[in-house]
Amino acid sequence: MTASIVYTAADLAEKGEVFRDLTFDGERCPARLAVFGDPVAHSKSPQMHNAALQVQGKDCQYVRILVRPEELEEALHNLHSARFLGVNLTIPHKQAALKFVDEIDPDAQLMGAINTVAVQEEKLIGYNTDGPGFAAAIKEKFGVELKTLRILILGGGGGAGRAIAVQCAISQCPMIFVANRTLDKAESLSAEIEQSLQVAITPMSLSPQALADTPFEVDLIINATPLGMKPDDPSPLPDSVARLLTQDHLVYDTVYSGGTTALIRQAQAAGVRHANGRSMLLHQGAISYEHWFSEEAPLETMRAALRAVMG
Ligand code: NAP
């Protein structure tokens, strides 16, 4: 099994010969999919995608490739000769890759980042599956369509926050607040979305004063900051504001690294329905798979594989 090995961008050169003779469970099984990142060793995508590839009888596997920022352009270019079907992109490549692909899905263009590349004939096509993966996660976890919800995004200035804000605007959510520590970023994102999609977004700061009345006006509160990735991180929602949560609210924390985040603890204390980012991770992966194979991903197999590696 090669899932724990980290390959390098150099392995993609020379027509990616390294990847041709790989085996999986004793059978010859070339690598034709990968995640590019720096760092990348922590990624759970290989386990999730390899389970899907196996159950669907695809004769290829998914590997991790450590790609430094200065290697990204050539690594993407080499996907053709290495006979890859596509890749996922993680930190720090999601924005930089926009300029190295041939076509960009219009929603991904607006999200300002791609996390999926599909190799189609001579072209590289870029997609963002974080936004649609988030919408699918909300449907699955709370049984409601994103388009029916009034939204507060905490941390709209980052990559995940931007993808979620654009997805909410595409879904025509009736009200969208984007709160960010650096107010300028929320303001420019809101202006950009309003101009492109003619959907009104209210930018605001992440301060208790600015947020004081917002919970009364929203249904779904989302953490799109990295707060919660470390066990002792504070919540992005000030306690004075968390006290305003009622049982009608929904809380979604995009953090999926395990453990209970401070935001989820606030939701639990208020008796609010809540979910962590694992469902978004699952659905963004399933949608990537569908871009590569143009067929439905085996969602339950991928879910079980994620559960097995993440506990
Ligand atoms: P990022 O681009 O680095 O996001 C930075 C955002 O977080 C900015 O809005 C930033 O505000 C804010 N922020 C950072 N530290 C903060 C702090 N101490 N207090 C308040 N705000 C803070 O990161 P990202 O890639 O978007 O990831 C954000 C989160 O989404 C991570 O937890 C990641 O695991 C999660 N994520 C989950 C999935 C999934 O599938 N579940 C997918 C992608 C990302 P400023 O603008 O003021 O700096």
Side-chain angles (χ1 to χ4, degrees):
M1 188 137 154
T2 50
S4 58
I5 296 172
V6 175
Y7 294 91
T8 67
D11 294 323
L12 276 168
E14 307 294 335
K15 299 188 178 173
E17 268 181 38
V18 173
F19 298 114
R20 301 261 167 82
D21 297 326
L22 296 181
T23 56
F24 197 99
D25 285 349
E27 299 284 321
R28 189 170 170 278
C29 187
R32 300 189 70 197
L33 291 163
V35 52
F36 285 0
D38 180 13
V40 75
H42 65 284
S43 173
K44 307 287 185 265
S45 292
Q47 288 94 330
M48 178 169 65
H49 283 292
N50 281 326
L53 294 168
Q54 275 196 311
V55 83
Q56 292 207 329
K58 310 281 186 206
D59 59 353
C60 62
Q61 64 177 295
Y62 182 115
V63 294
R64 296 181 182 83
I65 306 183
L66 176 67
V67 175
R68 307 280 187 208
E70 64 276 15
E71 298 170 329
L72 180 63
E73 181 173 11
E74 192 176 347
L76 286 169
H77 177 78
N78 284 339
L79 291 176
H80 294 287
S81 59
R83 303 199 51 226
F84 269 59
L85 302 170
V87 287
N88 283 130
L89 302 168
T90 187
I91 290 173
H93 301 314
K94 290 185 186 185
Q95 282 97 7
L98 286 171
K99 55 183 184 292
F100 302 136
V101 296
D102 302 296
E103 284 177 22
I104 300 166
D105 171 76
D107 293 350
Q109 184 86 57
L110 203 51
M111 289 172 191
I114 52 176
N115 70 338
T116 303
V117 175
V119 182
Q120 285 174 11
E121 294 168 3
E122 296 305 303
K123 288 187 176 167
L124 298 180
I125 321 283
Y127 300 95
N128 188 315
T129 70
D130 284 336
F134 165 76
I138 295 303
K139 177 84 196 293
E140 178 187 295
K141 287 290 168 187
F142 301 128
V144 289
E145 297 288 346
L146 183 61
K147 68 180 179 194
T148 64
L149 299 174
R150 298 168 300 165
I151 307 287
L152 168 61
I153 302 169
L154 306 170
R162 186 182 170 104
I164 290 170
V166 170
Q167 188 66 40
C168 292
I170 291 169
S171 304
Q172 304 269 321
C173 291
M175 201 175 276
I176 307 170
F177 293 90
V178 174
N180 201 49
R181 182 177 58 179
T182 311
L183 181 58
D184 287 3
K185 287 195 211 166
E187 286 175 342
S188 56
L189 174 64
S190 301
E192 221 180 300
I193 293 177
E194 280 191 43
Q195 198 189 11
S196 310
L197 296 172
Q198 287 77 52
V199 173
I201 306 251
T202 307
M204 58 199 298
S205 106
L206 209 46
S207 71
Q209 296 76 6
L211 288 169
D213 294 328
T214 326
F216 297 114
E217 298 188 56
V218 301
D219 306 302
L220 173 63
I221 297 172
I222 303 145
N223 174 29
T225 76
L227 287 174
M229 293 180 78
K230 294 198 252 42
D232 52 356
D233 275 345
S235 170
L237 195 66
D239 276 333
S240 57
V241 183
R243 279 195 278 276
L244 305 175
L245 291 174
T246 70
Q247 288 177 7
D248 294 332
H249 286 110
L250 304 170
V251 166
Y252 192 85
D253 198 329
T254 64
V255 172
Y256 58 81
S257 42
T260 304
T261 65
L263 177 64
I264 297 287
R265 284 196 295 276
Q266 287 171 327
Q268 287 170 336
V272 171
R273 292 167 70 201
H274 56 273
N276 68 28
R278 198 181 292 188
S279 47
M280 178 173 163
L281 181 68
L282 169 69
H283 285 283
Q284 64 77 31
I287 298 167
S288 295
Y289 190 96
E290 289 167 3
H291 284 305
W292 298 322
F293 292 106
S294 300
E295 64 182 84
E296 201 175 324
L299 196 66
E300 294 314 315
T301 299
M302 296 172 85
R303 190 194 307 277
L306 264 188
R307 196 180 300 127
V309 287
M310 297 180 92

